[in-house]
């Protein structure tokens, strides 16, 4: 018996959760439910996180969390419970299977069967943003080696565990050579450990176009957070409907399972909602806790129900569907089909009592880190890079000097183009003069002189090499 935490959520959440749990229990799932309250009521009671401390304790104790959709009130101050849960509990892997159910659910891709594995904790979703000048704000894109290694290894282990043949990586490392470059590098390193699984890399833009046009060319796709967020919804929709998809959020200690759709408050209490998305999340939960044969029974019964044409309003279509049913009736139809398999749709078979266990990340030995320069980001309202260079060069010493100015990443000094549009946010790069080494004391002195001369430095970034390899970008055009 496995104790799980359940949150029924808002809107249609309670209805689809009741239907899902009814199916699981009828199928013989050995689970004990401990319910918590999260979502709109908790938000409106004054908790901006949408969850009480006592509820966190329950989730952390039980380790497995099945969550229905919630409503986050509009307006400032309210935090996304999904994002908060993923980060607080270290749920680094978001897994979303996207399979077409042709011809029973309309799709332009009848043989699509793709699993999107999305990094879930970092990238731009670190949410670290600053306004630095009148015209420029920044958002920090954080990609870590642990984050890359954990998600890439999960993708390959998932493929191995479920008999998938290929893992594809999507990045934009032709532009973001440090961040996306690290993700691609780690993918190539780990792929060598799985010679039995085909691997490939696509640049995200053409890869996304190919997935939308020919999804059958892919099997498992692994991506950084933002790309994965966008493309997992695209994949779910072109497979048939976002409303039919569930997802797993997996960490080293805890896991959360959910539908990917929202709380749909307009449909609440009408016995209309389709519980399929949450049921798919629950099936992934059963596999996670090793109750694979129950998961297999439920999934095949669900496929048989779809195949029988017993559909809720959202996927009902004249000429294909045979009976339009409500939430409760759909659940009863799935229960009636337990022990049966679909005839046209592909049935599933999961290895008995098998769980996907990954090793914890082990930190590597540190590289030799050497300071080789500094970027001073300057707020200056002028337009001429040459004029700014003359001002900033007054900071030069015998040890360090200005080597380059960029604006929004484009080199504008020396030898910039007059046509380049410049904002009020300038990156001024200082390098040591020949025969000298960069020191942090030199950086402090640079900043001190900038204050004396009225130069508004809004940010600094130290430039390092790691084992002799440059750990920073050049200016575009350099």
């Amino acid at each position: 018996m496995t104790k799980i935490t359940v949150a029924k959520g808002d809107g249609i959440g309670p209805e689809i959760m009741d239907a899902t749990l009814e199916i699981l229990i009828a199928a013989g799932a050995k689970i004990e439910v401990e319910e918590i309250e999260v979502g709109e009521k908790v938000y409106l009671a004054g908790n901006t996180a949408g969850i009480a401390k006592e509820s966190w304790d329950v989730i952390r104790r039980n380790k497995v969390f099945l969550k229905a959709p919630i409503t986050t009130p509009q307006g400032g101050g309210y935090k996304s419970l999904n994002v908060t849960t993923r980060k607080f509990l270290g749920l680094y892997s978001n897994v979303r299977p996207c399979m077409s159910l042709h011809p029973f659910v309309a799709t332009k891709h009848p043989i699509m069967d793709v699993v999107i594995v999305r990094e879930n904790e970092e990238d731009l979703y670190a949410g670290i943003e600053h306004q630095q000048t009148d015209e420029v704000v920044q958002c920090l894109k954080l990609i870590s080696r642990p984050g890359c290694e954990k998600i890439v290894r999960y993708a390959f282990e998932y493929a191995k565990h479920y008999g998938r043949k290929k893992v594809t990586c999507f990045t934009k490392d032709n532009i973001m050579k440090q961040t996306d470059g690290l993700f691609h590098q780690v993918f190539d390193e780990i792929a060598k450990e799985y010679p039995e699984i085909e691997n490939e890399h696509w640049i995200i833009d053409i890869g996304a176009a190919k997935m939308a046009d020919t999804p059958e060319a892919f099997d498992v796709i692994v991506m950084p957070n933002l790309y994965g967020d966008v493309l997992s919804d695209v994949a779910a929709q072109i497979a048939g409907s976002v409303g039919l998809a569930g997802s797993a959020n997996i960490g080293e200690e805890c896991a959360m399972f959910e539908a990917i759709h929202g709380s749909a408050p307009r449909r609440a209490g009408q016995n209309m909602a389709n519980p399929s998305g949450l049921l798919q999340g629950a099936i992934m939960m059963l596999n996670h806790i090793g109750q694979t044969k129950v998961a297999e029974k439920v999934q095949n019964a669900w496929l048989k129900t779809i195949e029988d044409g017993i559909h809720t309003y959202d996927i009902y279509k004249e000429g294909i569907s045979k009976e339009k049913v409500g939430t409760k009736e759909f659940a009863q139809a799935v229960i009636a089909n337990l022990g049966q398999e679909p005839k046209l749709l592909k049935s599933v078979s999961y290895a008995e009592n098998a769980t996907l266990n990954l090793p914890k990340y082990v930190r590597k030995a540190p590289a030799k880190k050497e300071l080789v320069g500094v970027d001073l980001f300057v707020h200056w309202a002028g337009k001429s890079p040459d004029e700014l260079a003359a001002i900033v060069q007054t900071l030069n010493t015998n040890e360090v000097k200005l080597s380059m100015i960029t604006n929004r990443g484009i080199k504008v000094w020396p030898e910039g183009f007059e046509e380049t549009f410049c904002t009020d946010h300038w990156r001024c790069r200082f390098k040591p003069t020949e025969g000298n080494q960069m020191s942090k004391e030199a950086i402090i002195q640079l900043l001190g002189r900038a204050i004396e001369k009225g130069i508004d430095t809004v940010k600094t970034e130290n430039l390092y090499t790691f084992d002799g390899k440059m750990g920073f970008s050049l200016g575009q055009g350099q």
Side-chain angles (χ1 to χ4, degrees), residues 5 14 53 88 95 112-113 129 167 222 224 284 287 392 396 412 432 440:
T5 304
K53 179 183 181 301
F88 276 9
V95 185
M112 177 178 177
D113 185 5
E129 297 183 288
V167 178
V222 63
M284 298 172 79
N287 277 321
V392 175
N396 288 354
V412 294
K440 290 186 177 178

Side-chain angles (χ1 to χ4, degrees), residues 206-313:
I206 188 60
K210 180 74 172 176
M211 188 200 75
D213 178 70
T214 318
E216 61 269 19
F218 300 102
D219 198 347
V220 175
I221 307 176
V222 63
M223 287 176 274
N225 203 339
L226 177 62
Y227 310 144
D229 189 6
V230 174
L231 290 190
S232 58
D233 274 2
V234 172
Q237 184 63 29
I238 66 175
S241 171
V242 168
L244 297 177
S247 73
N249 300 269
I250 308 295
E252 292 181 340
E253 299 292 337
C254 300
M256 177 174 70
F257 303 88
E258 58 189 344
I260 69 171
H261 58 73
S263 59
R266 289 182 301 172
R267 302 296 184 190
Q270 301 173 46
N271 191 38
M272 293 178 66
N274 189 339
S276 294
L278 186 59
L279 184 62
Q280 290 302 300
I283 290 166
M284 298 172 79
M285 177 191 75
L286 291 173
N287 277 321
H288 177 75
I289 63 178
Q291 297 186 31
T292 54
K293 287 302 160 183
V294 181
E296 180 181 307
K297 185 191 295 186
V298 174
Q299 179 73 344
N300 284 329
W302 177 76
L303 291 169
K304 177 74 163 55
T305 305
I306 297 294
E307 189 176 273
D308 288 345
I310 303 174
H311 297 163
T312 47
Y313 82 97

Side-chain angles (χ1 to χ4, degrees), residues 378-445:
V378 170
H379 181 183
W380 184 67
K383 297 293 184 183
S384 168
D386 289 339
E387 183 181 344
L388 177 61
I391 296 171
V392 175
Q393 280 178 310
T394 63
L395 305 182
N396 288 354
T397 68
N398 291 332
E399 290 78 32
V400 296
K401 67 176 183 178
L402 180 68
S403 66
M404 177 184 73
I405 299 176
T406 69
N407 195 289
R408 294 187 296 174
I410 302 294
K411 190 186 78 166
V412 294
W413 182 90
E415 299 176 352
F417 288 4
E418 291 182 1
E419 295 83 356
T420 303
F421 179 82
C422 295
T423 70
D424 61 357
H425 185 273
W426 309 80
R427 175 176 60 167
C428 303
R429 175 160 293 175
F430 285 83
K431 291 287 197 71
T433 56
E434 188 174 352
N436 288 298
Q437 289 187 326
M438 197 73 186
S439 68
K440 290 186 177 178
E441 288 78 11
I443 296 172
I444 294 171
Q445 291 167 11

Side-chain angles (χ1 to χ4, degrees), residues 76-147:
Y78 296 112
K79 303 171 186 174
S80 166
L81 180 59
N82 279 347
V83 174
T84 301
T85 303
R86 290 165 184 166
K87 290 186 176 181
F88 276 9
L89 299 180
L91 308 182
Y92 66 88
S93 179
N94 183 286
V95 185
R96 188 179 299 181
C98 301
M99 180 181 69
S100 65
L101 299 168
H102 176 81
F104 307 102
V105 177
T107 176
K108 296 177 182 178
H109 305 288
I111 58 174
M112 177 178 177
D113 185 5
V114 174
V115 178
I116 306 294
V117 178
R118 161 194 169 194
E119 199 287 319
N120 220 16
E121 294 182 284
E122 48 189 40
D123 192 6
L124 293 167
Y125 284 44
I128 303 173
E129 297 183 288
H130 308 89
Q131 180 166 356
Q132 296 186 324
T133 69
D134 292 321
E135 297 178 342
V136 174
V137 294
Q138 73 164 16
C139 180
L140 294 183
K141 180 182 174 92
L142 298 178
I143 300 288
S144 71
R145 175 167 277 276

Side-chain angles (χ1 to χ4, degrees), residues 7 12 17 40 48-49 52 69 116 171 200 215 231 248 354 362 375 404 420 446 458 476:
I12 61 172
M17 180 61 81
E40 191 169 31
T48 58
I116 306 294
T171 73
E200 63 180 6
L231 290 190
V362 178
D375 285 338
M404 177 184 73
T420 303
L446 274 173
V458 295
Q476 293 177 27

